[in-house]
Amino acid sequence: MSAVGPLFNPRSIALVGATDKSGWSLNTYNNLIEHSFGGPVYLVNPRSEIVHGVPAFASLSAIGAPVDLAYVMVPTAAVLAILEEGARLGIRNYVVLTAGFGETGPEGERLQESLTALAEREGLTILGPNGNGFINAAAGITPYGLPIPAPLLSGPVGVVLQSGALASAVLSFAQARNLGLSLLTAMGNEAMVSVTDVVDYLVDDPATKVIALFLESVRHPAEFAAVARKAWAAGKPIVAMKIGSSQLASQTARAHTGALVGDDDVVSAAFRQLGVVRVRSLEDLIITAGLLASVGSLPGRRLGVVTPSGGGSEIIADRADDEGLQIPAYAPETVRRLTEIMPKFGTVANPLDVTGYVVVDRTLLGRAMEIVADDPGIDIIVLLTELPRVRPPDPSIFVEAFGQTAKRIQAAGKPVVVVSNALTDITEFGREIAAASGFPYVAGGIEHGLTALGAAVRWSESHVSPEPETGPEALVEGETVGLWAEREAAALLTANGIPVVPSTFASDVDTAAAAADAYGYPVVLKAAAAGLGHKSDIGGVRLGLANEAEVRSAFVDVMDKTKADGVLVQPQRSGGVELLVGVVRDPSWGLTMAVALGGIWVEVLRDSALRLLPVDKAQALRALTELRGIDLLRGARGSETADLDVVADVVARVGQLAVGLGDRLESLEINPLLVRGSRVEALDALVTWRT
Amino acid sequence: MSAVGPLFNPRSIALVGATDKSGWSLNTYNNLIEHSFGGPVYLVNPRSEIVHGVPAFASLSAIGAPVDLAYVMVPTAAVLAILEEGARLGIRNYVVLTAGFGETGPEGERLQESLTALAEREGLTILGPNGNGFINAAAGITPYGLPIPAPLLSGPVGVVLQSGALASAVLSFAQARNLGLSLLTAMGNEAMVSVTDVVDYLVDDPATKVIALFLESVRHPAEFAAVARKAWAAGKPIVAMKIGSSQLASQTARAHTGALVGDDDVVSAAFRQLGVVRVRSLEDLIITAGLLASVGSLPGRRLGVVTPSGGGSEIIADRADDEGLQIPAYAPETVRRLTEIMPKFGTVANPLDVTGYVVVDRTLLGRAMEIVADDPGIDIIVLLTELPRVRPPDPSIFVEAFGQTAKRIQAAGKPVVVVSNALTDITEFGREIAAASGFPYVAGGIEHGLTALGAAVRWSESHVSPEPETGPEALVEGETVGLWAEREAAALLTANGIPVVPSTFASDVDTAAAAADAYGYPVVLKAAAAGLGHKSDIGGVRLGLANEAEVRSAFVDVMDKTKADGVLVQPQRSGGVELLVGVVRDPSWGLTMAVALGGIWVEVLRDSALRLLPVDKAQALRALTELRGIDLLRGARGSETADLDVVADVVARVGQLAVGLGDRLESLEINPLLVRGSRVEALDALVTWRT
């Protein structure tokens, strides 16, 4: 990782390639001047003595004073020379706005590699190329190539984006939410400084409470995972919008499990295990980050809803239900106290509509909230109200009213989430009232506000996976190449503590018959041969053999059809619920486990739960309970109730085995894993190796 | 229905109960003055000569001039007397703001009934009580009790709300979207004028292109259905937000089907069949209505996406995928022309990112759009751009640039949907630029913009059910009371052209044995007795009887256990896919059909499709294809591919039978309806009658 503290905190800045002809140059210069950068700004242009109305220098060398950061806008071909000159002058930090590098093809990639090589050789830190720069709002340092709308609000959210254009959209949207940022960075090509580096910095940055990410791809999953764990340990939520959900799932062959493991699903699984809140829109990114920065970790999911509107109450109830949040009845004492203050045409209930009487009594909403805050059955208060949009002749009425409510919110002793009806900007006047009255963050609009609240509650309840460790070495006999069919795979499972259906290998018909007799009927015969993965497709599986004669006949038949080395004889199981437990290697995130119910659940519904490995038993249990068909394991449709504890244990063992197999493993699949009450056993398995 | 045209278009208004002490009174008066009501406004107050700074009248009678509308704010107890006085004076139209009527309990309900009775007797039209009034923005008539933010934008969307507080939220939000309204009505208690009446008016109103509804309940489903069909025939989309999705599904016993027919699901089914676009947030309500008003009916679902941002392109791609919209590759000629104008570091693709070079060349985005518009494989253009938020020193640059793009949009010959990155207000300056440049509606933010576009495309493709007619009388033998068990139900189905498994009623063992022999083995025996609904629960069903001896033994056993009148002997079917087809009577919407797949599909997944009756065969087919498990009928998992045309025909016949049975029917359920290829037959059925 790169240390980016000095990059984001320069005391002097040179704009290299500054020119009146470039909008980027003008924007960057204006931003530094208008947002009051405290140190010197040097404009560098070899051909103009005056740029943007001030004297320019012919070169970096001509400045003759220390430069902490060079912001480079020269043509692509000239960038390297500028960095070399800067390195000679001892300039350590660079933003490269110039495009034409890795994003354009092989030639650009080579140029970008030269850039990175130079930087590593000379100990330079480079943000970009092809990035708009950054805005350190906390320190008033704004080397950023697009216009920054005034006022620049400084605050608790650090934003990192793999998109320049969206950086500006996010900046405007955060301002419209009256939400201050600590740092905003448009990453560009990440030739050197990566998203992970910036997140790492923000985790340590005291001005940042929440980190918001816009990601096109996670370039360094292992580093990302490490820094996400660090953020979680520090209690700083990461909220991330990761695009690409519409891309086709990776088509890499990955046994049966592959179909369940789309790239986007793996990202979701990884984020969940790392405590990263995934959101689906720019609006949710900023509103959720703002809410988490405002209320922090939440103590539960029981909402007390206080509104001046029946319609608003019911929208909140619908949305809370979607998010799995609860709106319990108020305690009798709460109802008694609310009844005392409510107008007589109102009704006391949760959600509470104090009615349009708020037009007459501006304190009614706040007083109702104060009472609800005392209810021991409520974890979080949701208050529906709006900051004013338009300046009236006498604003003091608003300051007074919102100040009173703000005081009540501070005194509530519980998190209060304020939402407005719909998502409109907090206007300049709204910002003034909020500042003058101490009114908290308004999580704009019921729709996005409740999405944010649901996400914040889930983050507060999240459990982050332990950092992967080298687990116990798996016990393996045999050469780990190619494909291991059932016989070898079953031996591997058994050796590593995973229960497998009893099985006897028989290469002659008498051994087969004897084994069948010993198990009792009915039995199953399966063709067994090294590398034979799809035995049922070639007539290599015979079910329901009821007596010795059938076994003998089947043996001859199977051996004849499949030319196998022999057969596996197994007792035939009946009843129970079939699971599929598979592990595949995701190209980015590594070993990933899918748990699914068999039959239509997996084949038609693709009902599966994913986990990056390793998983412990508790996580395996959580994965199982995420399945839509989990009720089948709980005894729905007359099935025997499964001992989920035992199932989770076996699933976790499969994960441990996969981790223990390490780099050798390509995929491992148990299909089916049969569950009958507390009896869990693998009926078939397949392993593929990487070499 | 009430004729509400005169109500919404008064030339003179009296505010009765006007007083300086009431915020509502002040708001209403200010609204009328500030938004330039053209006619006289009379303030009526028996105790003050001056109200809101102008002379007041002691009573309606004292005005001595014609009054088209009285806006009534007097105390609850005084309302009736005011209406009586008004009626004597010939005042025909009233808004009653006063609360304390039906919303408060039995006493208020009685008062409200007196109000309605008076109105009907005297031919008065009343909006409310307990409603804030209306805003006729098209005509500048604003008798509305809450502040109206300036400017009041007049435009193509008519809004009707069953919520006063949300009416103001919607008004602010529409203004922030730069979307003008024709009429906004806060309904109040709907004692007389109902949502349906106002929608009916808006369908005929030339100023209204799209109707937006916020509904807490649909009070008159049949009237609503009629007016929705009228709107659809007129080509005016209705967009509706209906709350209550979190309410528990109706607990009324309704056979097995009941569990599938939640109230909210029925609303969704009804809206879909009526061509009403259902949305889930206030933001989507207004943004979708605005989009439909802007682009009208859309010719397809193939999008050409033109943006200045890679990140924005990919968000649009993800969201389009969610909405089932397509982003096909551009035609070779389009690619060639785009390549000519793109900067060399850009990439030509759909979605198109013309790059941040738009900062240098403000015409690039518009020129790219112009080229994409010529692509014959594109139905709709999605253009990502923002109106400016902040007034620069020289606004003429913006007017020029947006004017050029606006001209290109007008000339495109295809619908162009403009979205911004995130949902921020269109500011006063943005409105000015839009007005000065002729720039079209911006469907704010990718998230809501694409939701709106998906809804608009679905509306454009929607098929509205025919108005229910009295269908052919069903053929019924027997007394239609209580519960009809399988024997009677099967006879009813057969008589009305629905295929049923062959069945022989046998009251003695020899008849049973002879029937079984005739069918061939295996056979099924089922206890048959009038009113016996759950025969399997009492051991009344015996499956898989393989020979005559088993049939004789089973006959004795079933007769002994169930004390039935006899048994039904049927051939036992194997294989195929089981459906459930049920009809129940929804208390609001009437006969409603549910189609579901059997087994876990219905029991665990509640996978069903609903339709209000009647349905034709095409609609039955659409319902089937909505099932998540439809692939089972298409041959997934080795099942025989079903002839969906035959299945749909049988399903439609069931619906016709239910409609033909009319008021007598409470519920009818076929479970299972067995489908094997083109063979479709009911294996069991149950009918319950209303009386």
Side-chain angles (χ1 to χ4, degrees):
Chain A
M1 295 201 200
S2 307
V4 293
L7 170 71
F8 293 136
N9 292 281
R11 288 153 303 175
S12 54
I13 299 177
L15 305 186
V16 188
T19 162
D20 289 339
K21 288 179 281 185
S22 157
W24 283 295
S25 175
L26 185 63
N27 288 331
T28 310
Y29 182 70
N30 281 348
N31 285 335
L32 288 168
I33 302 307
E34 284 177 17
H35 299 291
S36 309
F37 174 59
V41 177
Y42 307 108
L43 303 182
V44 177
N45 185 321
R47 282 181 301 276
S48 307
E49 292 190 359
I50 301 287
V51 175
H52 306 325
V54 297
F57 296 85
S59 66
L60 277 173
S61 310
I63 295 174
V67 170
D68 283 354
L69 173 72
Y71 187 94
V72 180
M73 301 173 277
V74 298
T76 313
V79 171
L80 215 59
I82 295 294
L83 264 62
E84 282 165 353
E85 183 185 2
R88 280 197 303 276
L89 295 166
I91 304 174
R92 294 274 150 262
N93 302 295
Y94 298 81
V95 169
V96 179
L97 176 93
T98 310
F101 291 87
E103 80 280 11
T104 57
E107 197 184 329
E109 274 168 33
R110 276 193 297 278
L111 198 57
Q112 185 164 318
E113 279 161 22
S114 316
L115 196 94
T116 315
L118 169 69
E120 283 174 0
R121 199 165 60 235
E122 300 285 349
L124 313 180
T125 301
I126 301 178
L127 181 66
N130 189 28
N132 293 331
F134 66 86
I135 299 169
N136 184 341
I141 305 172
T142 54
Y144 182 75
L146 292 169
I148 300 173
L152 172 59
L153 306 175
S154 166
V157 177
V159 183
V160 189
L161 303 104
Q162 284 175 333
S163 166
L166 294 183
S168 287
V170 161
L171 197 61
S172 286
F173 187 72
Q175 188 200 52
R177 303 319 321 136
N178 193 25
L179 178 66
L181 307 182
S182 53
L183 177 76
L184 176 141
T185 311
M187 295 305 304
N189 291 1
E190 295 183 71
M192 192 175 178
V193 173
S194 70
V195 168
T196 310
D197 296 326
V198 183
V199 174
D200 188 58
Y201 167 80
L202 292 172
V203 174
D204 294 332
D205 172 31
T208 302
K209 285 188 183 173
V210 175
I211 298 161
L213 307 180
F214 174 83
L215 301 175
E216 297 194 334
S217 65
V218 180
R219 293 183 201 229
H220 310 288
E223 285 182 19
F224 181 84
V227 82
R229 286 195 185 88
K230 179 178 162 183
W232 196 78
K236 289 196 185 180
I238 298 178
V239 183
M241 178 173 183
K242 163 74 177 69
I243 54 176
S245 63
S246 60
Q247 287 162 22
L248 293 174
S250 166
Q251 296 300 323
T252 322
R254 297 175 188 171
H256 197 160
T257 314
L260 300 178
V261 186
D263 292 345
D264 195 62
D265 299 325
V266 178
V267 170
S268 288
F271 281 10
R272 193 173 45 234
Q273 279 173 269
L274 295 168
V276 173
V277 175
R278 188 170 189 182
V279 293
R280 297 288 174 179
S281 70
L282 292 174
E283 290 84 355
D284 287 332
L285 179 66
I286 292 306
I287 293 173
T288 304
L291 180 66
L292 277 160
S294 162
V295 299
S297 186
L298 294 165
R301 49 174 64 211
R302 297 173 301 176
L303 311 183
V305 180
V306 182
T307 83
S309 153
S313 293
E314 292 192 58
I315 301 176
I316 292 173
D318 283 359
R319 290 292 290 109
D321 190 61
D322 295 342
E323 298 292 334
L325 305 173
Q326 295 154 13
I327 304 186
Y330 289 130
E333 173 66 6
T334 310
V335 173
R336 189 189 62 71
R337 290 173 60 196
L338 286 173
T339 307
E340 278 177 10
I341 68 163
M342 283 276 285
K344 71 177 182 354
F345 52 87
T347 308
V348 173
N350 190 12
L352 181 69
D353 165 17
V354 303
T355 80
Y357 200 69
V358 289
V359 173
V360 178
D361 177 357
R362 287 179 183 275
T363 69
L364 180 58
L365 197 67
R367 288 187 293 134
M369 189 212 70
E370 198 166 41
I371 292 168
V372 169
D374 290 340
D375 192 308
I378 296 301
D379 301 313
I380 301 167
I381 294 159
V382 175
L383 185 67
L384 180 68
T385 192
E386 317 256 350
L387 282 166
R389 291 172 57 78
V390 181
R391 189 184 308 274
D394 177 12
S396 66
I397 304 164
F398 284 111
V399 176
E400 169 69 17
F402 281 86
Q404 282 191 17
T405 308
K407 282 200 195 77
R408 289 193 164 100
I409 288 171
Q410 281 153 18
K414 281 176 187 172
V416 177
V417 172
V418 183
V419 296
S420 59
N421 283 298
L423 185 57
T424 50
D425 288 3
I426 293 170
T427 61
E428 186 183 346
F429 181 63
R431 283 202 304 269
E432 282 178 29
I433 291 296
S437 68
F439 204 74
Y441 178 71
V442 178
I446 295 170
E447 174 64 17
H448 294 281
L450 268 286
T451 299
L453 181 53
V457 166
R458 287 189 292 277
W459 178 81
S460 305
E461 293 173 350
S462 66
H463 298 263
V464 164
S465 315
E467 196 143 3
E469 294 172 18
T470 311
E473 187 74 8
L475 299 170
V476 191
E477 281 187 27
E479 202 189 351
T480 54
V481 292
L483 179 154
W484 278 13
E486 180 172 356
R487 189 178 172 202
E488 299 92 330
L492 178 69
L493 297 179
T494 304
N496 291 281
I498 296 153
V500 176
V501 68
S503 188
T504 300
F505 176 73
S507 56
D508 62 83
V509 71
D510 290 337
T511 307
D517 262 359
Y519 289 130
Y521 296 96
V523 296
V524 180
L525 242 63
K526 298 173 179 168
L532 180 60
H534 295 281
K535 48 195 179 281
S536 62
D537 297 351
I538 55 166
V541 178
R542 295 291 299 272
L543 303 169
L545 304 174
N547 52 48
E548 188 184 321
E550 287 185 18
V551 170
R552 287 181 178 273
S553 155
F555 180 89
V556 173
D557 187 44
V558 164
M559 293 297 282
D560 190 50
K561 273 194 183 131
T562 65
K563 313 298 180 202
D565 309 327
V567 302
L568 296 176
V569 183
Q570 297 167 357
Q572 177 157 334
R573 303 306 195 197
S574 61
V577 175
E578 294 188 348
L579 297 183
L580 177 156
V581 180
V583 176
V584 294
R585 181 176 294 280
D586 181 82
S588 303
W589 294 93
L591 292 175
T592 307
M593 172 183 269
V595 183
L597 284 156
I600 60 160
W601 293 99
V602 56
E603 290 172 33
V604 182
L605 295 168
R606 296 170 48 95
D607 179 25
S608 64
L610 299 186
R611 285 295 183 278
L612 302 196
L613 295 181
V615 293
D616 58 20
K617 192 169 131 183
Q619 289 166 324
L621 187 59
R622 290 166 74 98
L624 287 165
T625 55
E626 280 168 22
L627 296 173
R628 277 180 284 165
I630 179 66
D631 283 350
L632 281 192
L633 287 172
R634 291 182 172 140
R637 306 197 73 227
S639 59
E640 189 178 349
T641 304
D643 186 333
L644 285 177
D645 199 58
V646 175
V647 181
D649 185 56
V650 172
V651 171
R653 279 168 195 261
V654 175
Q656 281 157 19
L657 168 58
V659 172
L661 290 168
D663 284 347
R664 291 171 291 181
L665 187 70
E666 178 61 38
S667 74
L668 183 164
E669 181 169 291
I670 300 177
N671 185 17
L673 181 75
L674 186 70
V675 178
R676 294 161 301 165
S678 61
R679 290 170 301 171
V680 178
E681 55 187 8
L683 299 194
D684 199 351
L686 203 62
V687 177
T688 54
W689 303 103
R690 288 181 88 185
T691 49
Chain B
M1 295 203 201
S2 307
V4 292
L7 169 70
F8 293 135
N9 293 280
R11 289 152 302 175
S12 55
I13 300 177
L15 304 186
V16 189
T19 161
D20 291 338
K21 288 178 284 184
S22 158
W24 284 294
S25 174
L26 186 60
N27 288 331
T28 309
Y29 181 69
N30 282 346
N31 286 335
L32 289 168
I33 301 307
E34 284 177 18
H35 300 289
S36 308
F37 175 59
V41 177
Y42 307 106
L43 303 181
V44 177
N45 184 320
R47 281 180 303 276
S48 304
E49 292 189 0
I50 301 288
V51 175
H52 307 324
V54 298
F57 296 86
S59 67
L60 278 173
S61 311
I63 294 172
V67 171
D68 282 353
L69 172 72
Y71 187 94
V72 180
M73 302 174 276
V74 300
T76 313
V79 170
L80 215 58
I82 293 294
L83 265 62
E84 282 166 350
E85 185 185 359
R88 280 196 304 276
L89 294 166
I91 304 175
R92 292 277 153 258
N93 302 296
Y94 297 82
V95 170
V96 179
L97 176 92
T98 309
F101 290 86
E103 80 280 10
T104 58
E107 197 182 327
E109 274 167 33
R110 277 192 296 278
L111 199 55
Q112 185 164 318
E113 280 160 20
S114 316
L115 196 93
T116 315
L118 170 67
E120 284 173 358
R121 197 165 62 237
E122 301 286 348
L124 313 181
T125 301
I126 301 177
L127 180 65
N130 189 30
N132 292 332
F134 66 86
I135 299 169
N136 184 341
I141 305 171
T142 54
Y144 183 74
L146 291 169
I148 300 173
L152 173 59
L153 306 174
S154 167
V157 177
V159 184
V160 190
L161 303 103
Q162 284 175 332
S163 166
L166 293 184
S168 288
V170 161
L171 198 59
S172 286
F173 186 73
Q175 189 201 51
R177 304 315 325 136
N178 194 25
L179 179 66
L181 306 182
S182 54
L183 177 78
L184 177 141
T185 311
M187 295 305 304
N189 291 1
E190 294 182 71
M192 192 174 178
V193 173
S194 70
V195 167
T196 310
D197 297 326
V198 183
V199 174
D200 188 57
Y201 167 80
L202 291 172
V203 172
D204 294 332
D205 173 30
T208 301
K209 286 188 182 174
V210 176
I211 298 161
L213 307 180
F214 174 84
L215 301 175
E216 297 193 334
S217 65
V218 180
R219 292 183 203 229
H220 310 289
E223 284 182 21
F224 181 84
V227 81
R229 285 194 186 88
K230 179 177 161 184
W232 196 79
K236 289 196 185 183
I238 298 178
V239 183
M241 178 174 182
K242 161 75 176 68
I243 55 176
S245 64
S246 61
Q247 286 162 23
L248 293 174
S250 167
Q251 296 300 321
T252 325
R254 296 175 188 171
H256 197 160
T257 315
L260 300 178
V261 187
D263 292 345
D264 195 62
D265 300 324
V266 177
V267 170
S268 288
F271 281 10
R272 192 173 45 232
Q273 280 173 269
L274 295 169
V276 173
V277 175
R278 188 170 188 182
V279 293
R280 297 291 175 177
S281 70
L282 293 174
E283 290 85 356
D284 288 332
L285 179 66
I286 292 307
I287 293 173
T288 304
L291 179 68
L292 277 160
S294 162
V295 297
S297 187
L298 293 166
R301 46 174 68 210
R302 298 173 301 176
L303 311 183
V305 180
V306 181
T307 83
S309 152
S313 293
E314 293 193 56
I315 302 176
I316 291 172
D318 284 358
R319 291 291 291 110
D321 189 63
D322 295 343
E323 298 292 334
L325 305 174
Q326 294 153 14
I327 304 186
Y330 288 131
E333 173 66 6
T334 310
V335 172
R336 190 189 63 71
R337 291 174 61 197
L338 286 173
T339 306
E340 278 176 12
I341 68 163
M342 283 275 285
K344 71 175 180 359
F345 52 87
T347 308
V348 172
N350 191 12
L352 181 69
D353 165 19
V354 302
T355 81
Y357 200 69
V358 290
V359 172
V360 178
D361 177 357
R362 288 181 184 277
T363 68
L364 180 59
L365 198 69
R367 288 187 295 135
M369 189 212 72
E370 199 167 41
I371 293 169
V372 169
D374 289 340
D375 192 308
I378 297 300
D379 301 313
I380 301 167
I381 293 159
V382 175
L383 185 68
L384 180 69
T385 192
E386 317 257 349
L387 283 165
R389 291 171 58 76
V390 180
R391 188 184 309 274
D394 177 13
S396 66
I397 305 167
F398 284 112
V399 175
E400 169 66 17
F402 281 87
Q404 282 192 17
T405 308
K407 281 199 196 77
R408 290 195 163 96
I409 289 172
Q410 281 154 17
K414 282 179 185 170
V416 177
V417 172
V418 183
V419 297
S420 58
N421 283 297
L423 185 57
T424 49
D425 288 4
I426 293 170
T427 62
E428 188 183 344
F429 181 63
R431 282 202 304 268
E432 282 178 29
I433 291 296
S437 68
F439 204 74
Y441 178 68
V442 178
I446 295 171
E447 174 64 20
H448 295 282
L450 269 285
T451 299
L453 180 53
V457 167
R458 288 188 293 277
W459 178 80
S460 305
E461 294 174 350
S462 66
H463 299 261
V464 164
S465 312
E467 196 141 5
E469 294 172 15
T470 310
E473 188 75 9
L475 299 169
V476 190
E477 281 188 25
E479 201 187 353
T480 54
V481 293
L483 177 155
W484 277 14
E486 180 174 353
R487 188 179 175 200
E488 300 93 327
L492 178 68
L493 295 180
T494 303
N496 290 280
I498 296 154
V500 177
V501 67
S503 189
T504 301
F505 177 74
S507 55
D508 63 82
V509 71
D510 290 336
T511 308
D517 262 356
Y519 289 129
Y521 296 95
V523 297
V524 180
L525 244 65
K526 299 172 178 171
L532 179 59
H534 296 282
K535 48 195 177 285
S536 61
D537 298 351
I538 55 165
V541 178
R542 295 290 299 271
L543 302 170
L545 305 173
N547 50 50
E548 186 182 326
E550 287 185 19
V551 169
R552 288 182 178 273
S553 156
F555 180 91
V556 173
D557 187 44
V558 164
M559 293 298 282
D560 189 49
K561 272 194 182 134
T562 66
K563 313 297 179 206
D565 311 326
V567 301
L568 297 176
V569 183
Q570 297 166 358
Q572 176 157 334
R573 302 305 194 199
S574 61
V577 175
E578 294 188 347
L579 297 182
L580 177 155
V581 181
V583 176
V584 295
R585 181 175 295 281
D586 181 81
S588 303
W589 294 93
L591 292 175
T592 307
M593 171 182 272
V595 183
L597 282 155
I600 62 160
W601 292 98
V602 55
E603 290 173 32
V604 181
L605 294 168
R606 295 170 48 94
D607 179 25
S608 63
L610 299 186
R611 286 294 183 279
L612 303 195
L613 294 181
V615 292
D616 58 20
K617 192 169 128 183
Q619 289 166 325
L621 187 60
R622 291 166 71 96
L624 286 165
T625 55
E626 283 168 22
L627 295 174
R628 278 180 285 164
I630 180 65
D631 282 350
L632 280 190
L633 287 172
R634 292 182 170 140
R637 304 198 76 226
S639 59
E640 190 177 350
T641 304
D643 187 334
L644 285 177
D645 199 59
V646 176
V647 181
D649 184 58
V650 173
V651 171
R653 278 166 195 262
V654 175
Q656 282 157 17
L657 168 58
V659 173
L661 291 168
D663 285 346
R664 291 171 289 182
L665 187 68
E666 178 62 36
S667 74
L668 182 165
E669 181 171 289
I670 301 178
N671 185 15
L673 180 74
L674 187 70
V675 179
R676 294 160 302 165
S678 61
R679 292 169 299 170
V680 178
E681 56 187 5
L683 298 193
D684 200 351
L686 204 62
V687 177
T688 54
W689 301 105
R690 287 180 89 183
T691 46

